[in-house]
Amino acid sequence: MKTETKKKEYAVPMTMKAWVLDGPEQLRLTDKPVPEPGPAEVLIRIDAVAICGTDVEIITKGLPAWIQGGLPFNKNFTPGHEYMGTVVKLGGGVDEYKIGDRVAVEIHAGCGRCERCRMGMYTSCLNYGMNYDGHNKGHRANGFTTDGGFAEYAVNHVNTLAHVPDNMSDEEATLIVTAGTAMYGLDVLGGLLAGESLVVTGPGPIGLMSVAVGKALGAEPVILTGTRDARLELGIKLGADHAVNVRKENPVEAVKRITKGKGVHYVMECSGAPNALNEAMDMVNRGGRICLAAFPGEPVPVELAKLVRNNIYVFGIRGEGNRATHRAAALMAQKRFDAKLMHTHTFSLEEVPKGFKYFRERIEDAIKVVIKVH
Amino acid sequence: MKTETKKKEYAVPMTMKAWVLDGPEQLRLTDKPVPEPGPAEVLIRIDAVAICGTDVEIITKGLPAWIQGGLPFNKNFTPGHEYMGTVVKLGGGVDEYKIGDRVAVEIHAGCGRCERCRMGMYTSCLNYGMNYDGHNKGHRANGFTTDGGFAEYAVNHVNTLAHVPDNMSDEEATLIVTAGTAMYGLDVLGGLLAGESLVVTGPGPIGLMSVAVGKALGAEPVILTGTRDARLELGIKLGADHAVNVRKENPVEAVKRITKGKGVHYVMECSGAPNALNEAMDMVNRGGRICLAAFPGEPVPVELAKLVRNNIYVFGIRGEGNRATHRAAALMAQKRFDAKLMHTHTFSLEEVPKGFKYFRERIEDAIKVVIKVH
Amino acid sequence: MKTETKKKEYAVPMTMKAWVLDGPEQLRLTDKPVPEPGPAEVLIRIDAVAICGTDVEIITKGLPAWIQGGLPFNKNFTPGHEYMGTVVKLGGGVDEYKIGDRVAVEIHAGCGRCERCRMGMYTSCLNYGMNYDGHNKGHRANGFTTDGGFAEYAVNHVNTLAHVPDNMSDEEATLIVTAGTAMYGLDVLGGLLAGESLVVTGPGPIGLMSVAVGKALGAEPVILTGTRDARLELGIKLGADHAVNVRKENPVEAVKRITKGKGVHYVMECSGAPNALNEAMDMVNRGGRICLAAFPGEPVPVELAKLVRNNIYVFGIRGEGNRATHRAAALMAQKRFDAKLMHTHTFSLEEVPKGFKYFRERIEDAIKVVIKVH
Amino acid sequence: MKTETKKKEYAVPMTMKAWVLDGPEQLRLTDKPVPEPGPAEVLIRIDAVAICGTDVEIITKGLPAWIQGGLPFNKNFTPGHEYMGTVVKLGGGVDEYKIGDRVAVEIHAGCGRCERCRMGMYTSCLNYGMNYDGHNKGHRANGFTTDGGFAEYAVNHVNTLAHVPDNMSDEEATLIVTAGTAMYGLDVLGGLLAGESLVVTGPGPIGLMSVAVGKALGAEPVILTGTRDARLELGIKLGADHAVNVRKENPVEAVKRITKGKGVHYVMECSGAPNALNEAMDMVNRGGRICLAAFPGEPVPVELAKLVRNNIYVFGIRGEGNRATHRAAALMAQKRFDAKLMHTHTFSLEEVPKGFKYFRERIEDAIKVVIKVH
């Protein structure tokens, strides 16, 4: 009996440990049946899962899409969407992946049957969340509307997987989907970034990844703005040419200074600050483009006149569309930037609440907190 | 009991009449089980189906995609892809259509699980035909790789349907998919046709539809080239501003004459003539674009130097992607052009061989021969 | 001596009558030298010029771009940008137009030397207004930064002209540039409108033209919202399928009602109402797109969360880029809609102040007020 | 007096040495007046100029565009288009560059007044070469239709310049325009290359640059095919993951082997081999795209059926459009690949014929032969 063959067989248990969400802020570790992969799906043994700001939002408030079905509270729902793992079982017709493959995930499978999915805009699926309460649209967005990664196993559609190379750690691989979101944002801005100027506002995980991916694609200068020097320094390590602490210098003036008055071609807004869009409109030149990957919780005053007069386009992005995750994964596999710099803490599956505490309170300047499951 | 409610119920039999393809040129009328719609699918009672040149190709030679599985000969396969009908049964989760809806079809459902389908390029599905002989990819292209419309019933994915308005006849509705192919060709050429100049070469069904759709979108001038005056006259009725009989005038010179030496922005090549691409390259101006919707059977000499020197783009198109069928159907519903002019003959399901004879031999100048099934 | 030849010769005087802007609200009719066309330019005898809302803005407040040079007040500047006329003199190298040609105009020539112009985004010219006070960038935007059409003659770059067919009146031809702006807005929304659903908010001239052009391209349904029934009725005549008086029905609810809860693909915002963008975000479905062709004067609260969560794109547009004017002119020449319905009043060059009074106070429900110059 | 100021002043002579083309193969070194920069132009002191295959074509055969005006033979025309130098004099309104700036060039200025230039497609200028013999369209394509770089000075439009950083040698900077052509080819293929598979056929300068730029943008795998091992090894150094000697292995089979039967997304055809397009169509998967940057001299047999059936797009490219040169220059300034590896020989301005001999006969495996002028 060969070792190789042996390596490819995994004993899959009937039940697994999984965190479920009873009510706002009420995560509970429990036992669940291990799910069964259907056609075009695989079962993944989750090896690691990272905590994202959206997880906090879901845990505290649910998500708008849930309102309809009364979810996710008290519905046995398992959150967690930034995970990676090992393929341990194949659904019908699957030969795209084989047992033993290490994979990272995209969140949005879409439904495959609405107009947006049909056209490739699967993160804008019109049946988003419509697979409950009598609806049966087949939509999946693991960790958002279908069970996610704070568990031992999860089912994923083959469309939502990317191969993880041998020389990439589990922890780093959890960051692939974050890089995919950044890549998607740069896609909608036009994608041809070499030698084009880019401001990234907000050095959270998506902002830092936008810096890294933007620089990997040749953007220049890449200017990062934020409030914390430690994060800005990390941004420099990931490829930013300039870092601006907005507590020390007006960011619009800084951008004008750095670009000799010209402004930039593109802004990736990743801060969610109330005035960020207005500032972005002052940072770009005529015909410039702004991607919003973050947003303030409340309506904020926006100078729409500027948007119209300067022919500015503003792109809201949900998730990581356009197969961007695949492309971002390739840049990471090629070691174009060191995503591991963003990984600060590791906890076990039992320690999920502790992990959330570190993430939310930014204890020890936590950025990416990873739960190592297997 | 209301008439309305009654109208929406259809007694679906267990078996149906269907033509199957035993061998090259060997179509046989037989009985088959009525298929069952799965999730996201509906059962359609076929009301009418048109004969297309590709049907002839399939019946005589099979299609390249079939080689792999040994199909379609002696496989109980039913050809026919230009059909329309009435929804008589709903698969799981279907509320996009309801029983009694009149619908026309797109051919390509795609597999929904490959990279091209994921990105919305479902007519370029990488699993094309891969649903036989142990493969189970879920690809459907009715009449090409899965059972089609020379039968009483067919199953369609909801993605492949377009509503047919009450005031459109069954016969006209069979032409929607042809219009969709023409629209898709114009899409890949850029889609912004108003006031732009367009040559359509070859007045077959797709060529005539390209004239009609192009004119409906405002192209000007629309120049149609061909060899038969009757077809060219029909092109004029469908919207062509100029018709050029290539037996009487060199088509390149005619285009130069009509455009005062400028050439045109776009060529839709629908003739498959051996020299058509070379002529098209002489018809477009620098930076012009050419869509190939037809092709010669053998390799032909092409002046690639012209293509490179003049920055010309050539787009091969398979089928009717980009939801073009939906948009073409809307133009037809709005009566922007009279597609019925292309419908020349009608036969019954039993008369399929006769229909093919008329179509192939162009008896009575047949263009679109329609089989009226119900 | 032939009449034809005679027709092509125009006696061009040395001086002309022209309105100039002394200060806010201070238009004065004076004499100016007739300008001389340079290379790639022509001299146009202005036959008719329409009054636009932006003219009012310029006359009362100047324009942001002017701040730099202290213009347009007391600078001998002639406003007016929606004009048409007859080519009476050719600059160097011009054979694109000949003397006697009737032409309508685009506003933005651009500078031809900045990065945006180089890439074809001439309405986003980075040297906008930079042809004064020591700068010499060659930018032209007649009626905005260079002399416009409330005068007997004007100089235009050949790039900014579109042919006017014989069977179109001078008055109608002044509306071509408005149609071009609407077309440009539909371009940035994707341009493939047949069978796609479109809301136009605000039945001013650009809104009405957006209805007309959108319908001509096959959009369906086209829903127009506004406050005045007369304008809404005009919208119906120009092609709207539905008109919603927002004083009688909540426009978001009306759109949901008409689209059976689905929302629309596209919104053209032409009202400038403070809440219009928020409402538009509620009207479009996930992945929908919004074009802003109008804007409120002050910053307004915007629910950016909706924009991000629903993957919505918002396109601010300046002017009439992408050669849209040419394409819109073609639709008008083809009589696809009756733009003349928007023309309500005509005055002489001497009566410009009266024309503005009618336009601003909407006397006799004035929509398009045209000054007939020659 | 400061050194800095002094450095920025250049004594420009009245006459200069320049090679002119008397007849086919007849280059002659002569004296010419130094040209004068007009508005939006600068005078460049040429520091270095590389020899390109197209130079050979022009010198031996002229170019199609020349036929019209009888050029370039016996017209005092100076060829050479891959040059770089120092800005020594500014035309009207120029502040984009200052005296002393080191710059590389794009070839195509375009005319700025035709439909294609207006839309940003300046390499497809409809007035290409139309600035002679009574035409006055202002088109420039230095070294093709206007005087080029085998001389001491040349005039360039500011649109055609890219800054050269201090740490890049003159010799390397002459390769920027070649990199720009490669980048433009990758642009038309879609531009989003990270993790996408790319075949480059033909390891000439553009092919090698396509490897380098493609890899810099993250393409994977990058497969280079060719006939000479030395060139293939250079391709590996520039970033190719695989090199295939077509004399040793069938290139289509090699691509299938490397991609495990999938084929690639993109092919950049840089060989001009007669069967290259057919092979490329066998290398790409369904929906794949092919850019032709080279072409055979004669018409060649092409299997158009494959193009249509597989939904393949073929893009001919002329030159280096879409501001690709600027973006390629940025990648080179960022040292993403070592373009210097392609520079093999250097000669003086007097030695131009010797340089051509080395280039044409590939003496000492010459790739890029650079003429150092200043």
Side-chain angles (χ1 to χ4, degrees), chain C residues 29 31-32 61 78 106 121 126 150 152 161 185 188 201 203 260 270 273 292 306 313 317 337 347 352:
Chain C
L29 187 62
D31 287 320
K32 270 187 171 180
K61 296 184 290 186
T78 297
E106 292 183 67
M121 297 182 64
L126 299 177
F150 294 123
E152 290 187 295
L161 301 178
V188 301
T201 50
K260 302 195 172 91
C270 306
L292 300 186
K306 208 169 277 175
Y313 299 166
I317 58 161
F337 51 87
F347 296 100
V352 160

PDB file of all heavy atoms in Angstrom, chain C residues 29 31-32 61 78 106 121 126 150 152 161 185 188 201 203 260 270 273 292 306 313 317 337 347 352:
ATOM      1  N   LEU C  29     -25.406  92.814 -25.306  1.00  0.00           N
ATOM      2  CA  LEU C  29     -25.210  92.579 -26.743  1.00  0.00           C
ATOM      3  C   LEU C  29     -24.201  93.581 -27.273  1.00  0.00           C
ATOM      4  O   LEU C  29     -24.328  94.788 -27.022  1.00  0.00           O
ATOM      5  CB  LEU C  29     -26.549  92.732 -27.488  1.00  0.00           C
ATOM      6  CG  LEU C  29     -26.545  92.351 -28.975  1.00  0.00           C
ATOM      7  CD1 LEU C  29     -26.192  90.892 -29.180  1.00  0.00           C
ATOM      8  CD2 LEU C  29     -27.920  92.643 -29.594  1.00  0.00           C
ATOM      9  N   ASP C  31     -20.585  94.191 -30.244  1.00  0.00           N
ATOM     10  CA  ASP C  31     -19.919  93.771 -31.475  1.00  0.00           C
ATOM     11  C   ASP C  31     -18.572  93.162 -31.134  1.00  0.00           C
ATOM     12  O   ASP C  31     -17.863  93.646 -30.246  1.00  0.00           O
ATOM     13  CB  ASP C  31     -19.709  94.982 -32.409  1.00  0.00           C
ATOM     14  CG  ASP C  31     -21.015  95.423 -33.041  1.00  0.00           C
ATOM     15  OD1 ASP C  31     -21.814  94.537 -33.411  1.00  0.00           O
ATOM     16  OD2 ASP C  31     -21.243  96.646 -33.138  1.00  0.00           O
ATOM     17  N   LYS C  32     -18.261  92.091 -31.844  1.00  0.00           N
ATOM     18  CA  LYS C  32     -16.987  91.406 -31.645  1.00  0.00           C
ATOM     19  C   LYS C  32     -16.414  91.083 -33.003  1.00  0.00           C
ATOM     20  O   LYS C  32     -17.162  90.915 -33.970  1.00  0.00           O
ATOM     21  CB  LYS C  32     -17.224  90.056 -30.942  1.00  0.00           C
ATOM     22  CG  LYS C  32     -17.186  90.042 -29.459  1.00  0.00           C
ATOM     23  CD  LYS C  32     -17.274  88.559 -29.006  1.00  0.00           C
ATOM     24  CE  LYS C  32     -17.026  88.410 -27.537  1.00  0.00           C
ATOM     25  NZ  LYS C  32     -17.114  86.995 -27.114  1.00  0.00           N
ATOM     26  N   LYS C  61     -23.566  82.297 -11.816  1.00  0.00           N
ATOM     27  CA  LYS C  61     -22.519  81.941 -10.861  1.00  0.00           C
ATOM     28  C   LYS C  61     -21.146  81.688 -11.463  1.00  0.00           C
ATOM     29  O   LYS C  61     -20.180  81.477 -10.744  1.00  0.00           O
ATOM     30  CB  LYS C  61     -22.952  80.667 -10.104  1.00  0.00           C
ATOM     31  CG  LYS C  61     -24.200  80.862  -9.255  1.00  0.00           C
ATOM     32  CD  LYS C  61     -24.523  79.624  -8.456  1.00  0.00           C
ATOM     33  CE  LYS C  61     -25.019  78.497  -9.345  1.00  0.00           C
ATOM     34  NZ  LYS C  61     -25.486  77.316  -8.607  1.00  0.00           N
ATOM     35  N   THR C  78     -18.634  84.975 -24.377  1.00  0.00           N
ATOM     36  CA  THR C  78     -19.960  84.721 -24.943  1.00  0.00           C
ATOM     37  C   THR C  78     -20.433  83.325 -24.566  1.00  0.00           C
ATOM     38  O   THR C  78     -19.814  82.339 -24.965  1.00  0.00           O
ATOM     39  CB  THR C  78     -19.925  84.840 -26.481  1.00  0.00           C
ATOM     40  OG1 THR C  78     -19.585  86.185 -26.823  1.00  0.00           O
ATOM     41  CG2 THR C  78     -21.272  84.479 -27.086  1.00  0.00           C
ATOM     42  N   GLU C 106     -20.935  69.280 -30.573  1.00  0.00           N
ATOM     43  CA  GLU C 106     -20.612  68.824 -29.235  1.00  0.00           C
ATOM     44  C   GLU C 106     -19.924  69.979 -28.521  1.00  0.00           C
ATOM     45  O   GLU C 106     -19.274  70.812 -29.161  1.00  0.00           O
ATOM     46  CB  GLU C 106     -19.603  67.672 -29.278  1.00  0.00           C
ATOM     47  CG  GLU C 106     -20.127  66.388 -29.852  1.00  0.00           C
ATOM     48  CD  GLU C 106     -19.068  65.303 -29.783  1.00  0.00           C
ATOM     49  OE1 GLU C 106     -18.710  64.885 -28.683  1.00  0.00           O
ATOM     50  OE2 GLU C 106     -18.612  64.882 -30.851  1.00  0.00           O
ATOM     51  N   MET C 121     -11.239  60.264 -23.406  1.00  0.00           N
ATOM     52  CA  MET C 121     -12.178  60.810 -22.417  1.00  0.00           C
ATOM     53  C   MET C 121     -12.133  62.338 -22.434  1.00  0.00           C
ATOM     54  O   MET C 121     -11.790  62.980 -21.441  1.00  0.00           O
ATOM     55  CB  MET C 121     -11.816  60.267 -21.032  1.00  0.00           C
ATOM     56  CG  MET C 121     -11.951  58.758 -20.934  1.00  0.00           C
ATOM     57  SD  MET C 121     -11.572  58.175 -19.258  1.00  0.00           S
ATOM     58  CE  MET C 121     -12.905  58.964 -18.311  1.00  0.00           C
ATOM     59  N   LEU C 126      -7.984  67.091 -18.627  1.00  0.00           N
ATOM     60  CA  LEU C 126      -7.248  67.569 -17.453  1.00  0.00           C
ATOM     61  C   LEU C 126      -6.775  69.011 -17.609  1.00  0.00           C
ATOM     62  O   LEU C 126      -6.319  69.626 -16.651  1.00  0.00           O
ATOM     63  CB  LEU C 126      -6.050  66.650 -17.180  1.00  0.00           C
ATOM     64  CG  LEU C 126      -6.429  65.196 -16.887  1.00  0.00           C
ATOM     65  CD1 LEU C 126      -5.172  64.354 -16.700  1.00  0.00           C
ATOM     66  CD2 LEU C 126      -7.308  65.104 -15.646  1.00  0.00           C
ATOM     67  N   PHE C 150     -24.312  82.359 -28.343  1.00  0.00           N
ATOM     68  CA  PHE C 150     -25.231  83.501 -28.373  1.00  0.00           C
ATOM     69  C   PHE C 150     -24.550  84.615 -29.158  1.00  0.00           C
ATOM     70  O   PHE C 150     -24.181  85.666 -28.615  1.00  0.00           O
ATOM     71  CB  PHE C 150     -25.617  83.936 -26.962  1.00  0.00           C
ATOM     72  CG  PHE C 150     -26.434  82.895 -26.236  1.00  0.00           C
ATOM     73  CD1 PHE C 150     -26.016  82.378 -25.015  1.00  0.00           C
ATOM     74  CD2 PHE C 150     -27.626  82.423 -26.769  1.00  0.00           C
ATOM     75  CE1 PHE C 150     -26.764  81.417 -24.353  1.00  0.00           C
ATOM     76  CE2 PHE C 150     -28.374  81.449 -26.118  1.00  0.00           C
ATOM     77  CZ  PHE C 150     -27.941  80.939 -24.913  1.00  0.00           C
ATOM     78  N   GLU C 152     -23.304  85.585 -33.644  1.00  0.00           N
ATOM     79  CA  GLU C 152     -23.571  85.271 -35.057  1.00  0.00           C
ATOM     80  C   GLU C 152     -22.642  84.207 -35.623  1.00  0.00           C
ATOM     81  O   GLU C 152     -23.003  83.515 -36.575  1.00  0.00           O
ATOM     82  CB  GLU C 152     -23.478  86.550 -35.887  1.00  0.00           C
ATOM     83  CG  GLU C 152     -24.650  87.498 -35.598  1.00  0.00           C
ATOM     84  CD  GLU C 152     -24.628  88.681 -36.541  1.00  0.00           C
ATOM     85  OE1 GLU C 152     -23.666  89.480 -36.461  1.00  0.00           O
ATOM     86  OE2 GLU C 152     -25.560  88.808 -37.365  1.00  0.00           O
ATOM     87  N   LEU C 161     -18.275  68.357 -34.332  1.00  0.00           N
ATOM     88  CA  LEU C 161     -19.389  68.609 -35.254  1.00  0.00           C
ATOM     89  C   LEU C 161     -20.095  67.314 -35.632  1.00  0.00           C
ATOM     90  O   LEU C 161     -19.496  66.244 -35.663  1.00  0.00           O
ATOM     91  CB  LEU C 161     -18.868  69.282 -36.531  1.00  0.00           C
ATOM     92  CG  LEU C 161     -18.140  70.615 -36.337  1.00  0.00           C
ATOM     93  CD1 LEU C 161     -17.650  71.135 -37.675  1.00  0.00           C
ATOM     94  CD2 LEU C 161     -19.043  71.642 -35.662  1.00  0.00           C
ATOM     95  N   GLY C 185     -24.933  59.147 -21.249  1.00  0.00           N
ATOM     96  CA  GLY C 185     -25.344  58.552 -19.977  1.00  0.00           C
ATOM     97  C   GLY C 185     -25.726  57.091 -20.146  1.00  0.00           C
ATOM     98  O   GLY C 185     -25.342  56.234 -19.336  1.00  0.00           O
ATOM     99  N   VAL C 188     -22.560  54.923 -20.576  1.00  0.00           N
ATOM    100  CA  VAL C 188     -21.797  54.554 -19.370  1.00  0.00           C
ATOM    101  C   VAL C 188     -22.566  53.519 -18.544  1.00  0.00           C
ATOM    102  O   VAL C 188     -21.968  52.759 -17.784  1.00  0.00           O
ATOM    103  CB  VAL C 188     -21.392  55.771 -18.493  1.00  0.00           C
ATOM    104  CG1 VAL C 188     -20.530  56.744 -19.293  1.00  0.00           C
ATOM    105  CG2 VAL C 188     -22.579  56.453 -17.877  1.00  0.00           C
ATOM    106  N   THR C 201     -35.254  59.700 -13.861  1.00  0.00           N
ATOM    107  CA  THR C 201     -35.826  60.574 -12.826  1.00  0.00           C
ATOM    108  C   THR C 201     -35.611  62.024 -13.225  1.00  0.00           C
ATOM    109  O   THR C 201     -34.480  62.465 -13.400  1.00  0.00           O
ATOM    110  CB  THR C 201     -35.184  60.285 -11.456  1.00  0.00           C
ATOM    111  OG1 THR C 201     -33.758  60.289 -11.589  1.00  0.00           O
ATOM    112  CG2 THR C 201     -35.606  58.936 -10.924  1.00  0.00           C
ATOM    113  N   PRO C 203     -38.032  65.020 -15.521  1.00  0.00           N
ATOM    114  CA  PRO C 203     -38.389  65.212 -16.927  1.00  0.00           C
ATOM    115  C   PRO C 203     -37.953  66.563 -17.484  1.00  0.00           C
ATOM    116  O   PRO C 203     -38.701  67.220 -18.200  1.00  0.00           O
ATOM    117  CB  PRO C 203     -39.912  65.066 -16.911  1.00  0.00           C
ATOM    118  CG  PRO C 203     -40.313  65.520 -15.540  1.00  0.00           C
ATOM    119  CD  PRO C 203     -39.134  65.362 -14.617  1.00  0.00           C
ATOM    120  N   LYS C 260     -42.855  44.406 -10.788  1.00  0.00           N
ATOM    121  CA  LYS C 260     -43.251  43.238  -9.994  1.00  0.00           C
ATOM    122  C   LYS C 260     -42.208  42.886  -8.942  1.00  0.00           C
ATOM    123  O   LYS C 260     -41.834  41.718  -8.770  1.00  0.00           O
ATOM    124  CB  LYS C 260     -43.515  42.039 -10.897  1.00  0.00           C
ATOM    125  CG  LYS C 260     -44.612  42.325 -11.939  1.00  0.00           C
ATOM    126  CD  LYS C 260     -45.112  41.040 -12.572  1.00  0.00           C
ATOM    127  CE  LYS C 260     -46.325  41.300 -13.461  1.00  0.00           C
ATOM    128  NZ  LYS C 260     -45.952  41.576 -14.867  1.00  0.00           N
ATOM    129  N   CYS C 270     -31.773  62.570 -13.543  1.00  0.00           N
ATOM    130  CA  CYS C 270     -31.739  63.853 -14.235  1.00  0.00           C
ATOM    131  C   CYS C 270     -32.499  64.924 -13.471  1.00  0.00           C
ATOM    132  O   CYS C 270     -32.857  65.953 -14.048  1.00  0.00           O
ATOM    133  CB  CYS C 270     -32.340  63.703 -15.637  1.00  0.00           C
ATOM    134  SG  CYS C 270     -31.592  62.421 -16.636  1.00  0.00           S
ATOM    135  N   ALA C 273     -32.592  66.140  -7.511  1.00  0.00           N
ATOM    136  CA  ALA C 273     -33.297  66.187  -6.219  1.00  0.00           C
ATOM    137  C   ALA C 273     -32.398  65.630  -5.108  1.00  0.00           C
ATOM    138  O   ALA C 273     -31.617  64.698  -5.339  1.00  0.00           O
ATOM    139  CB  ALA C 273     -34.591  65.386  -6.306  1.00  0.00           C
ATOM    140  N   LEU C 292     -25.579  59.662 -12.934  1.00  0.00           N
ATOM    141  CA  LEU C 292     -25.981  60.979 -12.447  1.00  0.00           C
ATOM    142  C   LEU C 292     -25.667  62.020 -13.514  1.00  0.00           C
ATOM    143  O   LEU C 292     -24.507  62.318 -13.785  1.00  0.00           O
ATOM    144  CB  LEU C 292     -25.232  61.342 -11.161  1.00  0.00           C
ATOM    145  CG  LEU C 292     -25.398  60.427  -9.957  1.00  0.00           C
ATOM    146  CD1 LEU C 292     -24.688  61.041  -8.742  1.00  0.00           C
ATOM    147  CD2 LEU C 292     -26.862  60.186  -9.630  1.00  0.00           C
ATOM    148  N   LYS C 306     -25.791  50.932   1.157  1.00  0.00           N
ATOM    149  CA  LYS C 306     -26.603  50.272   0.124  1.00  0.00           C
ATOM    150  C   LYS C 306     -25.819  50.092  -1.171  1.00  0.00           C
ATOM    151  O   LYS C 306     -25.924  49.069  -1.845  1.00  0.00           O
ATOM    152  CB  LYS C 306     -27.840  51.143  -0.119  1.00  0.00           C
ATOM    153  CG  LYS C 306     -29.035  50.394  -0.589  1.00  0.00           C
ATOM    154  CD  LYS C 306     -30.284  51.269  -0.541  1.00  0.00           C
ATOM    155  CE  LYS C 306     -30.906  51.289   0.850  1.00  0.00           C
ATOM    156  NZ  LYS C 306     -32.056  52.235   0.933  1.00  0.00           N
ATOM    157  N   TYR C 313     -23.021  50.558  -9.121  1.00  0.00           N
ATOM    158  CA  TYR C 313     -22.060  51.495  -9.693  1.00  0.00           C
ATOM    159  C   TYR C 313     -22.777  52.821  -9.950  1.00  0.00           C
ATOM    160  O   TYR C 313     -23.892  52.833 -10.454  1.00  0.00           O
ATOM    161  CB  TYR C 313     -21.497  50.980 -11.014  1.00  0.00           C
ATOM    162  CG  TYR C 313     -20.753  49.669 -10.942  1.00  0.00           C
ATOM    163  CD1 TYR C 313     -20.461  48.963 -12.115  1.00  0.00           C
ATOM    164  CD2 TYR C 313     -20.312  49.129  -9.735  1.00  0.00           C
ATOM    165  CE1 TYR C 313     -19.762  47.769 -12.076  1.00  0.00           C
ATOM    166  CE2 TYR C 313     -19.620  47.935  -9.698  1.00  0.00           C
ATOM    167  CZ  TYR C 313     -19.356  47.255 -10.866  1.00  0.00           C
ATOM    168  OH  TYR C 313     -18.659  46.063 -10.834  1.00  0.00           O
ATOM    169  N   ILE C 317     -21.576  61.970 -14.955  1.00  0.00           N
ATOM    170  CA  ILE C 317     -21.151  62.294 -16.325  1.00  0.00           C
ATOM    171  C   ILE C 317     -21.095  63.797 -16.527  1.00  0.00           C
ATOM    172  O   ILE C 317     -21.976  64.546 -16.133  1.00  0.00           O
ATOM    173  CB  ILE C 317     -22.037  61.670 -17.428  1.00  0.00           C
ATOM    174  CG1 ILE C 317     -23.503  62.099 -17.290  1.00  0.00           C
ATOM    175  CG2 ILE C 317     -21.898  60.171 -17.471  1.00  0.00           C
ATOM    176  CD1 ILE C 317     -24.295  61.903 -18.583  1.00  0.00           C
ATOM    177  N   PHE C 337     -37.492  59.309 -32.769  1.00  0.00           N
ATOM    178  CA  PHE C 337     -38.373  59.975 -31.802  1.00  0.00           C
ATOM    179  C   PHE C 337     -38.518  61.419 -32.254  1.00  0.00           C
ATOM    180  O   PHE C 337     -37.736  61.890 -33.083  1.00  0.00           O
ATOM    181  CB  PHE C 337     -37.832  59.893 -30.366  1.00  0.00           C
ATOM    182  CG  PHE C 337     -36.403  60.339 -30.229  1.00  0.00           C
ATOM    183  CD1 PHE C 337     -36.099  61.684 -30.019  1.00  0.00           C
ATOM    184  CD2 PHE C 337     -35.362  59.426 -30.312  1.00  0.00           C
ATOM    185  CE1 PHE C 337     -34.785  62.102 -29.892  1.00  0.00           C
ATOM    186  CE2 PHE C 337     -34.042  59.833 -30.204  1.00  0.00           C
ATOM    187  CZ  PHE C 337     -33.748  61.172 -29.994  1.00  0.00           C
ATOM    188  N   PHE C 347     -37.081  82.752 -30.157  1.00  0.00           N
ATOM    189  CA  PHE C 347     -36.854  84.196 -30.110  1.00  0.00           C
ATOM    190  C   PHE C 347     -35.686  84.555 -31.007  1.00  0.00           C
ATOM    191  O   PHE C 347     -34.960  83.671 -31.483  1.00  0.00           O
ATOM    192  CB  PHE C 347     -36.564  84.643 -28.662  1.00  0.00           C
ATOM    193  CG  PHE C 347     -37.724  84.414 -27.729  1.00  0.00           C
ATOM    194  CD1 PHE C 347     -37.746  83.308 -26.882  1.00  0.00           C
ATOM    195  CD2 PHE C 347     -38.807  85.288 -27.700  1.00  0.00           C
ATOM    196  CE1 PHE C 347     -38.813  83.080 -26.028  1.00  0.00           C
ATOM    197  CE2 PHE C 347     -39.885  85.065 -26.843  1.00  0.00           C
ATOM    198  CZ  PHE C 347     -39.885  83.961 -26.010  1.00  0.00           C
ATOM    199  N   VAL C 352     -32.510  87.460 -26.552  1.00  0.00           N
ATOM    200  CA  VAL C 352     -31.909  86.487 -25.633  1.00  0.00           C
ATOM    201  C   VAL C 352     -32.390  86.668 -24.185  1.00  0.00           C
ATOM    202  O   VAL C 352     -32.788  85.697 -23.527  1.00  0.00           O
ATOM    203  CB  VAL C 352     -30.363  86.514 -25.739  1.00  0.00           C
ATOM    204  CG1 VAL C 352     -29.707  85.916 -24.504  1.00  0.00           C
ATOM    205  CG2 VAL C 352     -29.918  85.743 -26.990  1.00  0.00           C
TER     206      VAL C 352
END
